[in-house]
């Protein structure tokens, strides 16, 4: 299990993902915390922005940056654009993980490139859908899991930003979607196989729809479909699960991001906390 770092949390229980306390009494405390004296009630977007702003403090001029996708990552991109416009940052290059992020970054005049031209990335910053005590993640509910994994795997450091609703005791524990990107050809065949693979965990597999009121499937930036897996019980062994999913013909990528995050910045009621390995 990864060593987690926190400050300013009462007792030995450092966070309670989905109602399950995790005890870290013996772990080294080597982090910072930002706490409000008046303890205002912040919205989820305000919490995400707090985490994003802290993550951007790690960005230095001249860096090549992986730019994530999703609502939390959008706050990161906004902050980078602001710092560039005021001259507080310069000469950075962004590698976007989706067309949506590319468009946002371009609108903020953030210089952009690709992995082809910059195969080594200094730092990637992205959100997560679930974070477990080992800093393993579920990502991809925004539909960009393949490009996110490619960019973040090429990064020397990978900072995850999240609000405390994303903390779970085990991956799949939120009961929300764990995405698997599959080719369009015979997608139903793979949906049935994926559901059967995790039958003992009460898994239900659903094809992701476009969300425009039609029954059209959602199509990724890579021209593929997404099968979302919903678990009644958390995944017992993420690495074994990821290996079995990847072994299926027609599977392009899965949303288990294992052993990739170097730190996770979490905003919650107690302030901003940093979890590190």
């Amino acid at each position: 299990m990864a060593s987690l770092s926190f400050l300013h949390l009462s007792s030995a229980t450092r966070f309670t993902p989905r109602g399950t306390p995790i005890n870290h009494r013996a772990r080294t405390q080597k982090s910072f915390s930002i706490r409000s004296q008046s303890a205002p009630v912040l919205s989820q977007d305000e919490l995400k922005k707090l985490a994003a702003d802290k993550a951007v403090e790690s960005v230095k001029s001249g860096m090549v940056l992986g730019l994530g996708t999703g609502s939390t990552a959008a706050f990161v991109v906004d902050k980078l654009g602001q710092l560039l416009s005021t001259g507080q940052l310069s000469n950075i290059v962004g590698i976007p993980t989706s067309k949506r992020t590319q468009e946002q970054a371009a609108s903020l005049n953030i210089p952009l490139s690709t992995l082809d031209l910059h195969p080594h990335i200094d730092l990637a910053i992205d959100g997560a859908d679930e974070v477990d005590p080992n800093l393993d993640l579920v990502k991809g509910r925004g539909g960009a899991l393949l490009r996110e994994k490619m960019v973040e795997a090429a990064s020397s450091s990978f900072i995850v930003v999240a609000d405390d609703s994303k903390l779970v005791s085990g991956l799949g524990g939120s009961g929300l979607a764990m995405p698997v990107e599959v080719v369009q050809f015979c997608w139903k065949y793979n949906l049935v196989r994926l559901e059967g693979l995790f039958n003992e965990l009460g898994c239900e597999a659903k094809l992701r729809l476009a969300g425009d009121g039609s029954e059209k499937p959602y199509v990724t930036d890579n021209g593929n479909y997404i099968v979302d897996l919903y678990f009644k019980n958390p995944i017992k062994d993420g690495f074994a699960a990821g290996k079995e999913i990847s072994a299926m013909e027609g599977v392009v990528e899965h949303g288990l991001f294992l052993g990739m995050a170097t730190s996770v910045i979490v905003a919650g009621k107690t302030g901003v906390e940093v979890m590190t390995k």
Side-chain angles (χ1 to χ4, degrees):
M1 182 176 292
S3 175
L4 310 184
S5 303
F6 296 85
L7 282 183
H8 299 300
L9 288 175
S10 60
S11 82
T13 300
R14 298 305 175 192
F15 66 86
T16 308
R18 303 293 170 186
T20 305
I22 304 296
N23 191 297
H24 299 294
R25 185 182 301 276
R27 294 190 175 126
T28 304
Q29 314 261 330
K30 57 174 182 177
S31 184
F32 77 94
S33 178
I34 301 171
R35 299 185 68 184
S36 169
Q37 296 302 314
S38 58
V41 177
L42 300 179
S43 69
Q44 191 174 35
D45 278 350
E46 288 170 327
L47 292 175
K48 291 175 180 179
K49 187 176 185 302
L50 280 177
D53 286 351
K54 182 59 190 176
V56 172
E57 291 180 14
S58 297
V59 177
K60 309 299 180 186
S61 294
M63 277 187 168
V64 178
L65 301 172
L67 306 179
T69 296
S71 58
T72 309
F75 286 117
V76 172
V77 176
D78 279 342
K79 185 68 173 181
L80 291 172
Q82 176 188 333
L83 294 177
L84 280 171
S85 68
T86 59
Q88 295 169 268
L89 279 178
S90 61
N91 300 320
I92 67 169
V93 176
I95 311 297
T97 55
S98 67
K99 293 178 181 177
R100 183 163 73 251
T101 298
Q102 181 179 352
E103 291 169 356
Q104 180 194 8
S107 73
L108 297 170
N109 297 314
I110 298 174
L112 299 176
S113 188
T114 66
L115 272 177
D116 290 330
L117 297 176
H118 293 85
H120 173 76
I121 297 173
D122 297 302
L123 170 65
I125 306 177
D126 203 354
D129 300 310
E130 293 183 2
V131 180
D132 79 0
N134 297 317
L135 305 195
D136 290 328
L137 317 169
V138 167
K139 287 178 49 57
R141 289 183 192 144
L145 58 155
L146 173 58
R147 297 190 187 189
E148 286 174 340
K149 191 170 283 189
M150 291 176 69
V151 168
E152 287 147 17
S155 303
S156 295
S157 297
F158 173 27
I159 297 176
V160 175
V161 287
D163 65 89
D164 59 3
S165 70
K166 304 302 190 293
L167 300 175
V168 296
S169 58
L171 298 181
S174 70
L176 301 176
M178 197 287 282
V180 180
E181 187 164 345
V182 301
V183 298
Q184 294 190 29
F185 177 73
C186 294
W187 61 265
K188 188 177 293 185
Y189 167 72
N190 273 325
L191 182 150
V192 172
R193 291 205 298 168
L194 286 165
E195 187 172 89
L197 183 63
F198 299 106
N199 183 60
E200 66 176 22
L201 299 178
C203 176
E204 182 179 8
K206 297 181 180 180
L207 180 69
R208 184 178 298 188
L209 301 181
D212 58 1
S214 71
E215 292 299 309
K216 294 180 181 178
Y218 174 88
V219 179
T220 70
D221 287 347
N222 316 300
N224 299 311
Y225 288 169
I226 287 180
V227 172
D228 286 320
L229 305 182
Y230 297 86
F231 296 92
K232 291 184 179 178
N233 298 294
I235 297 170
K236 298 174 183 177
D237 185 335
F239 285 91
K243 186 175 181 180
E244 288 189 86
I245 294 170
S246 295
M248 289 188 177
E249 304 81 5
V251 166
V252 179
E253 191 51 83
H254 57 75
L256 296 171
F257 284 55
L258 310 172
M260 295 180 67
T262 50
S263 63
V264 179
I265 298 174
V266 182
K269 295 178 181 178
T270 58
V272 177
E273 313 290 345
V274 178
M275 305 162 61
T276 60
K277 290 188 175 181

